[in-house]
Amino acid sequence: HSKMFAIVHVVPQDEFEPAMIKLASEYVDMSVGELPAYAINRLYNRCQSCHSLDGTTGTGPSFKGLWKRVKEGNVGFTSGEKLSDLYGNDTTYVVPENYIRTSLVNPQGHIVKGYLGSMPSFQGQLKDKQITAIIEMFKHLDELTDEEGNITVNTDGTPRQ
């Protein structure tokens, strides 16, 4: 838990519930272009104890370069299968986005070679649009972080100061 950072905002009790409702639904009206900044600022905190943004391996693979590896199918599984063999019509995933979507809700379906398969399922915890936000975050990670893996944008996409 040493990598679980948080900023606490104290608000009066009468403002707490409306603030929580707003946070819980802030992504609903976002365009696809707004989702990556939302995901890295609001959802990545649930991932960061196992997945780095700087290429460092941990309990799970680093998110740095993940989209390229997934898109190219350059991922091997403990079963001996390669992700590239699972793409295309009439296959397990058809497109790369489906692999990531499935990995979030059924992470034990295909365990990446070199890892133990300790990722929990997020089924029922993430809405479809939040899963799309995570996928978009992977696609645009180099626009959201610097070379050291520091997040460089705010939730609204503006540069961090």
Side-chain angles (χ1 to χ4, degrees):
H1 288 89
S2 65
K3 293 185 180 182
M4 296 176 73
F5 301 105
I7 296 173
V8 176
H9 297 277
V10 179
V11 296
Q13 188 171 356
D14 63 325
E15 295 176 23
F16 180 75
E17 188 172 338
M20 290 297 99
I21 290 170
K22 181 181 176 190
L23 279 174
S25 62
E26 69 181 330
Y27 66 91
V28 172
D29 295 323
M30 288 182 175
S31 68
V32 171
E34 295 171 303
L35 292 176
Y38 160 77
I40 202 155
N41 283 286
R42 295 284 197 252
L43 302 176
Y44 174 67
N45 63 341
R46 297 174 74 181
C47 312
Q48 70 184 11
S49 61
C50 298
H51 300 278
S52 78
L53 297 174
D54 66 359
T56 305
T57 57
T59 304
S62 176
F63 286 168
K64 184 174 187 173
L66 178 74
W67 179 246
K68 181 179 181 193
R69 295 189 304 271
V70 168
K71 189 172 87 172
E72 293 173 356
N74 191 18
V75 178
F77 301 110
T78 56
S79 64
E81 297 171 289
K82 275 199 76 162
L83 183 56
S84 58
D85 297 331
L86 303 175
Y87 289 157
N89 293 332
D90 300 321
T91 61
T92 305
Y93 299 118
V94 183
V95 294
E97 289 85 349
N98 291 348
Y99 165 68
I100 294 172
R101 187 172 299 281
T102 301
S103 294
L104 290 169
V105 297
N106 181 21
Q108 305 311 311
H110 281 99
I111 299 170
V112 175
K113 191 174 186 175
Y115 296 94
L116 300 175
S118 56
M119 182 166 154
S121 171
F122 288 94
Q123 184 153 7
Q125 297 177 43
L126 295 171
K127 304 291 185 199
D128 285 340
K129 193 162 187 179
Q130 290 175 307
I131 292 173
T132 298
I134 291 170
I135 293 167
E136 293 300 313
M137 176 187 76
F138 292 149
K139 290 178 178 181
H140 299 278
L141 195 62
D142 60 338
E143 300 164 27
L144 306 169
T145 60
D146 62 19
E147 281 299 313
E148 290 80 42
N150 299 303
I151 299 170
T152 58
V153 296
N154 295 309
T155 304
D156 64 2
T158 59
R160 282 193 178 176
Q161 299 300 325

